[in-house]
Amino acid sequence: MYRDVLGAQVSQPEPQEEHGVYTVFVEMPGEGAKVELIHPLGDASPIANFLDRNPSGGIHHICFEVDAIDAAMADVRAKGIRTLSEHSKIGAHGKPVVFLHPKDCGGILVELEEA
Amino acid sequence: MYRDVLGAQVSQPEPQEEHGVYTVFVEMPGEGAKVELIHPLGDASPIANFLDRNPSGGIHHICFEVDAIDAAMADVRAKGIRTLSEHSKIGAHGKPVVFLHPKDCGGILVELEEA
C-alpha cells in the first residue's frame, strides 16, 4: 500500500531479533516524517498483545526525535511522565530510544529517539 | 504534555462544528510532521466510537498531504483502496480531505489532505 498506492520508498523487511519484530522503513515523498511498519518476530514479540487487540493492524506508537536521550529522559521524568524502562535501549535505527508511559501521554505510546 | 513536556507550539482549542470535534494543532520543534489533537464536540461526534473503544485516548488516524485530492482519490481507487466518502470534504484546515478505508490500509484510518 505504501509503495504501490502512496508512492513511498519502502525498504526490504529486516529482522530485529533483539526487538522481536521485523521492520520495514517507509519514506513518503516530500514528507518530513517516516512510517515504520512492524511485524512480530518470534514467540514473545512485544507487539503480540497489540495485534491480539487489533487483529487488522493499527497504529502502534509515534516517535519524536530528541537531541540527547539522557537529558530528555531526565526532563520528561521531572515533569511527571514515566518511562517504560529505567535506561534507554538501542532501537531499530541503532540509536538510543526510550518509550513513555501511555497513561501519561493521552493514551498514546510515545517513543523518543536520539537524533 | 505536548506543550509543557515536549516543547511544542500548541494552539487554542477550536470548535469544528461541522466535524463534531474540537481541534488543537501541535507543531513540534524541528519536526516535519504535525500532531492534531481532537476532542468530541456534540452528541454525534464521529470520534465517539473510537473513545468508547479507547477510553484513555489513542492515535485516531494519520494524514498524508497530496497535490490534488480528486486525482489522488481516482488513483487510490484504481488501486483497489476504498474511500469512506464518494467526494472529498473540507477538513479542519479548510482544505479538501478524504479518508481511506482502514481495511484497505493495514487496519489504519488514513486521511489524504490537499496540500
Side-chain angles (χ1 to χ4, degrees), chain B residues 11-92:
Chain B
S11 78
Q12 291 297 307
E14 295 172 19
Q16 308 271 355
E17 300 278 356
E18 67 276 31
H19 297 291
V21 293
Y22 295 90
T23 53
V24 171
F25 298 110
V26 178
E27 295 206 41
M28 306 296 297
E31 296 280 348
K34 295 175 188 170
V35 172
E36 180 180 309
L37 307 179
I38 52 181
H39 183 84
L41 168 62
D43 293 333
S45 174
I47 61 169
N49 284 345
F50 179 84
L51 286 171
D52 284 345
R53 289 195 310 272
N54 301 275
S56 303
I59 308 174
H60 182 262
H61 68 274
I62 57 174
C63 179
F64 297 112
E65 287 185 344
V66 298
D67 291 332
I69 198 83
D70 289 335
M73 289 173 72
D75 187 47
V76 300
R77 284 173 179 159
K79 289 166 177 167
I81 308 290
R82 288 166 286 177
T83 56
L84 293 190
S85 57
E86 190 182 343
H87 300 290
S88 62
K89 301 177 180 178
I90 298 301

Side-chain angles (χ1 to χ4, degrees), chain A residues 57-115:
Chain A
I59 309 174
H60 182 261
H61 67 275
I62 56 175
C63 179
F64 297 112
E65 287 184 345
V66 299
D67 291 332
I69 198 82
D70 289 335
M73 289 175 72
D75 187 46
V76 300
R77 285 173 179 159
K79 290 166 175 166
I81 309 290
R82 288 167 288 178
T83 56
L84 293 189
S85 58
E86 189 181 344
H87 301 290
S88 63
K89 300 177 181 178
I90 298 301
H93 294 95
K95 295 174 179 172
V97 302
V98 71
F99 286 89
L100 309 184
H101 200 304
K103 295 271 184 200
D104 299 337
C105 299
I108 294 172
L109 180 60
V110 174
E111 180 182 17
L112 301 180
E113 180 182 66
E114 195 165 281

Side-chain angles (χ1 to χ4, degrees), chain A residues 6-43:
Chain A
L6 295 177
Q9 278 203 305
V10 175
S11 78
Q12 290 297 308
E14 295 173 19
Q16 308 273 352
E17 301 278 354
E18 67 277 29
H19 297 291
V21 293
Y22 294 91
T23 53
V24 171
F25 298 111
V26 178
E27 295 206 41
M28 305 296 296
E31 296 279 346
K34 295 175 188 168
V35 171
E36 180 181 309
L37 307 180
I38 50 179
H39 184 83
L41 167 62
D43 293 332

